[in-house]
């Protein structure tokens, strides 16, 4: 086969736009790039400035360029007999057809392949498919992104990488892929078919390094063979070894491994505090800022304690990101420097693991809801199975619809066949559970801690000592899990998986199986199933109506971004139910009764089928259905609890967003105060719980956290140690905090014209001095929107891009990547950017905080907590609003200095930090940057002087 890899640069992406540059890379039969053709093309319309900005192609470049006619005359012969390849090929293909048409050639009728599809299938774990990012990931030279010849060549080299990857896969994987796309009548189907024929002629079709089982190539061995780390060792390696001696050995190895290793005072203090808490059976609150090296600060004592005393230590993180970082970065390092074998297992929520039985079933039955997308996801996963050792969905880059596919093949307890499953010994979830069982240290997340409590401690192995990282989130996660949170789709997914239409769903699957079985009772059961269909349809219609009615009750919040989960919010008060509540309660009652009917009949049928003979492979189907019925029962009871609005200690509310209206509905019922439950589950029961985060103290005191988390009694009984570690950075040298003291103030979440104009001008001036590289944090989306357009206009002339959350499409991670990828840009973000965004080094030089980050006082949970504090004759503003805002403010500030080389500026535009009685709490809580206030007019010269001082 000969491949022609095509790329055009154009004046835009409308059909009226024109080609300004063409690039074509030819790959010959021997899979080498034999030539690269490129030419500028003279367009009939001017090149817009933003295209020049993106591609670097200006009017000067194209003014003497050949016409389209001439370029096509050179290109057409090269396309002869070739398979056309492109990155997002539809774009280039449309321009090609229109160019051929304009210049009098016949349209291109050959095969077309898209490298996007190939990357998704052969590299299912890539985090991005953007050409430049993929090129740097693969080490492919791509020196002039957005220039046609450079793009075409990079695409060709990436395509060859995909073909290499394909060549290394076992025959069985290709057979599966060819089979998947066979019914598609697509060019991909044709391609896999051709590749399969070629592969079948090879000698070695099943290379080593794979486990072959039930027509899949896998990486997993039988997990029952996994043994504890020190199984073969006689005696305990730490028998007479003190923690100090252990650390000496570790440091020696660290020095040998990392030439620039230096001990950090803060980390040493942390190692000692954690060890002390473990030794004395106490709890510990320890604040450790960026750069402390806190992961090692708790992992080393955890390993030492666990191995020496032969008892497991549990470590919990808030985000999966941090869990992954511990798995990818910290544990491998420790494996090399700890002087004896140990094991640290990562154990996540069950829904993160693939159920191989369900996956096999889905593929073999081609049970696809949206065939085009789902075939693609299935192909990704077949290749992924040949590589993954964990079966963990975080390794997969599933497209936007991939999440729905995953839900149907994820592991879950209610549909697990356990030991009678043919996949049991290969099962990823049971493997992870077994590894956690034999591990010294288990790394899990806050969600799983609470799911384990609700499941009566059946999920996690037993533990007496717990380390909670990112502990400032513990209370919020506890509320979500100990309360109720349900989405519109929670119910819909359960209903549609039972019955979507007479051909799709587990009930129809069971019905067709029964019909084939010819058992005497099958007719009776088929009619039971037929009787359930209309009831399920009623439930779905009533649930839709209920969701719509609930959505119409909610007012829009003024400070939220469009499409934010909480853009529409309504708190429901038990004493003051909304007018329409009776109508809603009546609908809920119909749903409750109908679901009850389905549950009764369904469960009776399932139980009888279980007793029946099992010669028709029912077992897995019956297990799935009984799992779905269990879910339905849980949802029915949760909805009833919510609609009743009875519990005085619970705060009830609903949320939605405007993009998806009633389909985005979420209902919440959360305990107002979880401190008593946290105390009962953790601080009374466990020997020691270590809580750490960069932000636990307010005004140098831990009192707020002690109250929120239920540690008051432990503190009174001298069972609580608190510790604030010194920062490893020199903030006086590395950070300057500036407050323009005459800045206009603002009421509410919207700024008046004078405020907005002053802010935009000041942000623009600052961005010019810092050459972009600036992040602006807002507390209200409305204000972000007021600033976005005028700021964009002011900075366009300076070559600085403005990226706005909610204005430019993309998730937080995508926007952050774009910000890092562009040399001069300003990123505007609201609430989700205040923490967890890590942009080290040059990319971020200045941080502007527009308003102090107080939570909107009308958020249902904040409102309920404030009412409770008022009843206790306490001041909710000082006890709740200020501490919460200070912690967020510290998180925001923490974005700036991420290493000992970073330097940066923080501008706080909110003058309340100087004028109000509570402003000092914000300033005193920071880790000691240089702070200055001055009139607005003096700010820019001061910033520029401070930045230049470093360069001299």
């Amino acid at each position: 086969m000969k491949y022609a890899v095509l790329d055009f640069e154009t004046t835009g992406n409308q059909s009226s736009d024109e080609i300004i540059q063409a690039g074509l890379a030819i790959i010959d039969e021997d899979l080498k790039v034999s030539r690269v053709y490129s030419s500028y093309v003279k367009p009939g319309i001017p090149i817009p400035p933003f295209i020049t900005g993106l591609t670097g192609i200006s009017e000067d470049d194209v003014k003497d360029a050949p016409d389209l006619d001439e370029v096509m005359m050179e290109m057409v012969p090269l396309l002869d007999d070739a398979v056309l390849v492109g990155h997002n090929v539809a774009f280039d293909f449309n321009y090609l057809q229109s160019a051929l048409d304009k210049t009098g050639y016949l349209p291109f009728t050959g095969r077309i392949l898209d490298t996007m599809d190939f990357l998704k299938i052969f590299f299912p774990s890539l985090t991005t498919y953007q050409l430049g990012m993929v090129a740097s990931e693969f080490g492919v030279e791509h020196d002039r992104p957005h220039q046609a010849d450079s793009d075409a060549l990079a695409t060709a080299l990436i395509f060859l990488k995909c073909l290499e990857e394909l060549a290394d896969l076992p025959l069985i994987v290709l057979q599966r892929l060819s089979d998947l796309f066979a019914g598609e009548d697509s060019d991909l189907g044709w391609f896999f078919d051709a590749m399969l024929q070629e592969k079948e002629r090879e000698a070695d079709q099943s290379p080593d390094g794979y486990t072959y089982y039930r027509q899949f190539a896998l990486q997993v061995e039988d997990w029952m063979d996994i043994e504890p780390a020190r199984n073969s060792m006689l005696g305990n390696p730490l028998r007479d070894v003190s923690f100090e001696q252990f650390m000496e050995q570790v440091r020696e190895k660290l020095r040998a491994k990392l030439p620039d290793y230096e001990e950090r005072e803060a980390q040493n203090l942390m190692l000692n505090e954690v060890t002390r808490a473990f030794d004395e059976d106490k709890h510990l609150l320890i604040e450790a800022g960026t750069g402390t090296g806190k992961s090692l600060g708790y992992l080393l004592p955890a390993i030492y304690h666990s191995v020496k005393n032969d008892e497991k230590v549990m470590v919990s993180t808030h985000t999966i990101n941090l869990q992954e970082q511990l798995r990818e970065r910290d544990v491998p390092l420790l494996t090399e420097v700890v002087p004896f074998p140990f094991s640290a297992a990562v154990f996540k929520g069950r829904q993160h693991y693939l159920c191989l039985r369900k996956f096999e079933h889905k593929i073999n039955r081609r049970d696809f809801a949206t065939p085009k997308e789902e075939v693609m996801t299935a192909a990704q996963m077949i290749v992924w199975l040949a590589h993954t050792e964990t079966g963990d969905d975080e390794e997969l880059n599933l497209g936007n619809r991939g999440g729905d596919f995953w839900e149907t093949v994820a592991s879950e307890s209610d549909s697990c066949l356990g030991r009678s499953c043919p996949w049991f010994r290969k099962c990823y979830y049971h493997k992870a559970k077994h590894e956690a069982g034999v591990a010294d240290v288990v790394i899990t997340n806050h969600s799983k801690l609470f799911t384990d409590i609700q499941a009566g401690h059946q999920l996690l192995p037993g533990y007496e000592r717990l380390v909670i990282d990112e502990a400032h989130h513990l209370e919020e996660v506890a509320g979500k899990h100990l309360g109720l949170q349900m989405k519109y789709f929670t119910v819909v997914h359960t209903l549609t998986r039972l019955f979507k239409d007479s051909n799709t769903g587990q009930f129809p699957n069971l019905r067709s199986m029964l019909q084939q079985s010819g058992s005497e009772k099958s007719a009776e059961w088929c009619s039971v199933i037929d009787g359930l269909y209309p009831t399920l349809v009623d439930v779905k219609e009533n649930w839709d109506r209920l969701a719509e009615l609930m959505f119409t009750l909610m007012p829009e919040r003024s400070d939220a971004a469009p499409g934010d989960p909480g853009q529409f919010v309504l708190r429901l008060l038990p004493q003051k139910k909304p007018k329409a509540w009776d109508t809603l309660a009546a609908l809920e009652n119909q749903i409750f009764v109908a679901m009850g009917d389905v549950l009764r009949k369904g469960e009776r049928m399932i139980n009888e089928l279980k007793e029946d003979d099992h010669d028709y492979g029912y077992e897995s189907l019956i297990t799935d259905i009984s799992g779905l019925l269990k879910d339905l029962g849980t949802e029915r009871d949760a909805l009833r609890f919510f609609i009743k609005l009875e519990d005085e200690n619970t705060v009830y509310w609903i949320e939605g967003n405007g993009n998806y209206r009633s389909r985005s509905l979420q209902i919440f019922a959360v305990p107002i105060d979880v401190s008593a439950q946290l105390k009962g589950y953790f601080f009374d029961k466990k020997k020691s719980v270590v809580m750490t985060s960069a932000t636990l103290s307010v005004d140098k005191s831990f009192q707020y956290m002690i109250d929120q988390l239920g540690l008051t009694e432990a503190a009174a009984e001298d069972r609580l140690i608190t510790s604030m570690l010194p920062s490893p950075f020199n903030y006086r040298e590395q950070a300057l905090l500036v407050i323009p003291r005459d800045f206009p103030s603002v009421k509410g979440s919207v700024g008046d014209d004078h405020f907005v104009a002053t802010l935009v001008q000041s942000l623009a001036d600052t961005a010019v001095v810092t050459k972009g590289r600036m992040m602006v944090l807002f507390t209200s989306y409305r204000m972000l929107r007021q600033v976005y357009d005028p700021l964009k206009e002011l900075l366009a002339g300076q070559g600085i891009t403005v990226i706005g959350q909610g204005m430019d499409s993309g998730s937080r991670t995508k926007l952050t990547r774009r910000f890092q990828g562009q040399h001069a840009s300003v990123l505007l973000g609201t609430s989700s950017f205040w923490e967890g965004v890590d942009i080290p080094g040059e990319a971020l030089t200045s941080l502007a905080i527009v308003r102090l980050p107080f939570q909107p006082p009308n958020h249902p949970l904040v409102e309920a907590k404030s009412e409770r504090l008022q009843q206790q004759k306490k001041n909710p503003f000082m006890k709740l609003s200020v501490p919460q805002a200070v912690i967020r403010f510290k998180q925001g500030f923490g974005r700036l200095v991420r290493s000992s080389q970073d330097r940066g500026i923080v501008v706080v535009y909110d003058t309340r930090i100087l004028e109000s009685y509570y402003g000092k709490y914000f300033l005193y809580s920071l880790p000691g940057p240089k702070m200055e206030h001055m009139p607005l007019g003096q700010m820019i010269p001061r910033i520029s002087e401070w930045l230049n001082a470093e360069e001299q």
Side-chain angles (χ1 to χ4, degrees), residues 283 446 448-457 460 463-466 468 474-475 477-479 481-483 671 673-689 709-711 719:
H283 305 311
H446 301 356
K448 180 108 184 169
L449 283 183
F450 291 105
T451 329
D452 178 54
I453 286 171
Q454 283 163 313
H457 305 289
L460 292 170
Y463 60 95
E464 289 293 332
R465 297 174 199 280
L466 168 65
I468 297 177
L474 185 68
E475 184 212 4
V477 178
H481 279 271
L482 301 171
D673 180 8
V674 289
S675 60
Q677 279 146 297
L678 289 174
K679 174 179 176 299
Y681 289 130
F682 296 114
F683 307 122
D684 291 352
K685 287 234 170 63
K686 305 292 175 198
K687 289 182 182 164
S688 57
V689 181
L709 296 175
L711 282 161
R719 276 200 65 208

Side-chain angles (χ1 to χ4, degrees), residues 809-936:
S809 62
S811 64
R812 184 177 88 167
T813 323
K814 277 198 177 130
L815 294 176
T816 310
R817 269 213 205 96
R818 268 188 61 191
F819 174 69
Q820 279 172 286
Q822 280 165 333
H823 295 305
S825 54
V826 175
L827 178 61
L828 313 182
T830 61
S831 52
S832 62
F833 282 83
W834 282 80
E835 64 171 287
V837 177
D838 191 4
I839 307 173
E842 279 291 280
L844 185 64
T845 305
S846 65
L847 178 73
I849 293 178
V850 177
R851 310 272 292 140
L852 294 176
F854 285 105
Q855 269 201 320
N858 55 0
H859 184 284
L861 197 51
V862 180
E863 217 172 64
K865 282 177 184 271
S866 303
E867 289 160 12
R868 175 139 310 182
L869 286 165
Q870 269 161 335
Q871 288 161 8
Q872 299 165 351
K873 303 278 186 285
K874 291 177 180 160
N875 174 347
F877 184 68
M878 289 312 291
K879 278 268 178 246
L880 182 72
S881 304
V882 170
Q884 275 185 343
V886 167
I887 283 175
R888 285 193 85 72
F889 181 71
K890 284 168 70 171
Q891 282 287 347
F893 179 85
R895 298 307 102 217
L896 189 67
V897 176
R898 310 294 294 175
S899 76
S900 55
Q901 271 63 55
D902 277 4
R903 266 179 68 110
I905 286 157
V906 180
V907 183
V908 179
Y909 285 106
D910 193 333
T911 52
R912 292 178 297 180
I913 204 164
L914 293 175
E915 293 154 4
S916 68
Y917 65 95
Y918 54 81
K920 61 173 191 282
Y921 295 115
F922 288 87
L923 295 174
Y924 286 162
S925 293
L926 292 178
K930 199 168 173 48
M931 300 185 199
E932 300 178 4
H933 58 87
M934 60 202 64
L936 184 59

